[in-house]
Amino acid sequence: MIKFNDLFKFRGLLGHGSYGVVITVQDKFSEDNAPTTALKIISKQKLYNEQINVIRGESKILSTLVGVPNVVQFLNIFETEKFIIIHMEHLKGKQMKRDIHNRLTLA
């Protein structure tokens, strides 16, 4: 069985929510100055089967949008007995929810 530490170097926590966390990582086999990517780690224990299927479906759609401008780039999806892990491009900057809130309150 492949373990997280076999593939990635943990670089930091981006955020957390009701269903999981988002962390930044680096490919374990890349140079230390290589760009970071993001892992969205979702607990399957908190989801219904229908929700898990929706996540799988969204990942399939995102995989068809690779290379499309203005779309966060999907890199891979991993699934274990307990987790769904979506590997994606890491966009540095503010959290989207906070940015939208700030724009709405300033309007």
Side-chain angles (χ1 to χ4, degrees):
M1 174 190 255
I2 297 174
K3 295 182 181 177
F4 172 87
N5 290 335
D6 294 338
L7 301 173
F8 302 105
K9 296 181 240 179
F10 175 79
R11 292 297 183 228
L13 175 68
L14 281 176
H16 56 87
S18 300
Y19 299 107
V21 299
V22 180
I23 62 173
T24 56
V25 297
Q26 267 183 321
D27 184 315
K28 187 161 187 170
F29 304 103
S30 67
E31 300 292 324
D32 282 339
N33 61 351
T36 58
T37 56
L39 290 180
K40 181 185 261 187
I41 304 169
I42 304 164
S43 173
K44 289 166 76 173
Q45 296 170 332
K46 297 180 181 181
L47 301 175
Y48 296 109
N49 284 336
E50 183 178 319
Q51 292 169 304
I52 293 169
N53 289 331
V54 167
I55 292 169
R56 289 177 184 143
E58 288 177 357
S59 295
K60 285 181 185 178
I61 292 168
L62 285 172
S63 70
T64 68
L65 299 174
V66 171
V68 175
N70 301 316
V71 175
V72 174
Q73 296 299 292
F74 171 87
L75 301 172
N76 208 339
I77 185 169
F78 307 95
E79 196 166 339
T80 69
E81 186 178 314
K82 295 182 181 181
F83 299 101
I84 295 174
I85 303 163
I86 301 172
H87 188 202
M88 65 189 94
E89 174 184 26
H90 172 218
L91 299 176
K92 295 182 177 161
K94 302 176 193 172
Q95 287 185 344
M96 186 179 355
K97 181 179 177 183
R98 187 176 343 156
D99 190 39
I100 291 169
H101 174 74
N102 289 341
R103 288 180 192 207
L104 292 175
T105 57
L106 294 175

